[in-house]
Structure formats: structure tokens, C-alpha cells
Amino acid sequence: MTTISTATRTLDHGDGRGLQAVLLDMDGTLVDTENLWWQAEASLFAELGYTLDENDRAHVVGGPMSRVIDYLLAATGVDLAPADLTVLINQRFVDLLGGGVPLMPGAERLLNTLAAHGVPTALVSASHRHVIDIVLRSLGAHHFAFTVAGDEVPRTKPHPDPYLEAARRLGAEPGRCVVVEDAPTGVRAAEAAGCPVIAVPSVAPIEPAPGRLVLPSLESVDLELLRSLVASRV
């Protein structure tokens, strides 16, 4: 597992109940890669003679790759082995990444705010390690204490394992780690881990729920809001 080291310190309210960390999804949350994933999938299947539509897009957003592959094979009936299709989609996506990845609105400001206040921050993604390392060239590895990739945990999203692993490595309680996600799959993973969630939907809609705040953009996320989500749970 690749680790990016940086100095971090735990935030606390002095009563043992404060915000300890922020755990951030990558695709569609911090960087606008969901469109690139869709371009990779749709263009590849077009070459194979299949047209993917917006209903298909809603099913594949947020990964993980194993679920995406299973869905695409079932929906199209294309005669490819899952492993072969995975390689083709990943290579098409990596090719599209070559020109760099745009950050989502408010992402840079949020990352700078967390760094300025010493908030321990980890990147938790369903994408595989080689994809994360490419995206970090645009996103900046220095923003994160470490990154957790989908191929580095026994079960990736929507299972809680990635977020539980991130909290464990930070020495934090999941209930005191705010997760920021863009897709229902990631939201389910974070909530299964016991984390409060800020959802900023990118493609598929996400409804508000107890312990879950839905916002239109990262531009609405600040330190006061992050602290309040943890404080409201105690």
C-alpha cells in the first residue's frame, strides 16, 4: 500500500468529542473524472457495437470496477471476459487522463483550508492504485496523510472497509471522521463505517438522511460545517 507522509495533528474540542479527520473520495468529489470514466466506457462500447445511455451511466457511477464490469457485461451481453474488459476500460481511462484532470469547484480551497488548520486528511477511493497515482499529479499528493485505493482493501465501496481502514490508520474514531462523497456507493460505504457524511452528488441523485448532509458544491464546505457534523452526533 502506497503511503504519502505528511505532518498531521488531531483536531479536538477539548472534550474528546471533536472532529478528528476528514476522509475524501476522489472521482467526482475532488476531481472531475466521472465524465472521463463515462467517456472511456461509452466510447469503448460504441466501438464494440453497443450504445450506452444515461440509465447505464447512473448504474456505473462511483464504481467499484468489479460492480461496473458486472453491470456492463449483463446489460450489453458483450463477449468479453471480465478481466479483459477491466483492462480495456482502465487503459482507455488512463489515456484520457493524459491531459490532466480538472478539480471540482471548491476542491482546492477545501484542501488548503484543511491543511492550514492541521486537519488530518486522507483520500479514500474505489479507483485502483495506478489510477490514483496519476490523478495525484493534478490533485497534489501533499494534501493527504495517505491514500487508500480500491485494490488495497479486501472489500471496497459500498462496503465500509476502506473508510474503516483510513480511520484506523489515523488512530481516529469513525464517528469523528467526516466523509465527503459524490456517489451513492461511497455514501453507503461511509455510513456503514459509522461516519457522518457530506454528499455532493455528481451524476446520480442522493437524498438527505440522518447523519447525511447533501450540498450542491464543495464551495459550501468549511471547517465550521465539518465540526458541526461531528458535534451534532454526540
Side-chain angles (χ1 to χ4, degrees), residues 113-164:
T113 296
L114 295 173
H117 289 86
V119 181
T121 305
L123 185 72
V124 182
S125 176
S127 288
H128 288 190
R129 168 54 54 195
H130 73 283
V131 171
I132 291 177
D133 288 345
I134 294 172
V135 173
L136 283 174
R137 299 172 193 166
S138 298
L139 190 55
H142 61 283
H143 289 299
F144 309 102
F146 56 84
T147 63
V148 178
D151 56 342
E152 295 173 342
V153 288
R155 302 181 305 173
T156 190
K157 304 172 188 179
H159 298 288
D161 304 39
Y163 284 115
L164 291 174

Side-chain angles (χ1 to χ4, degrees), residues 88-113:
L88 290 173
I89 291 176
N90 270 296
Q91 186 56 58
R92 183 67 57 93
F93 177 70
V94 168
D95 291 343
L96 291 171
L97 284 178
V101 186
L103 272 61
M104 299 297 286
E108 184 173 11
R109 179 199 57 79
L110 175 59
L111 290 170
N112 288 337
T113 296

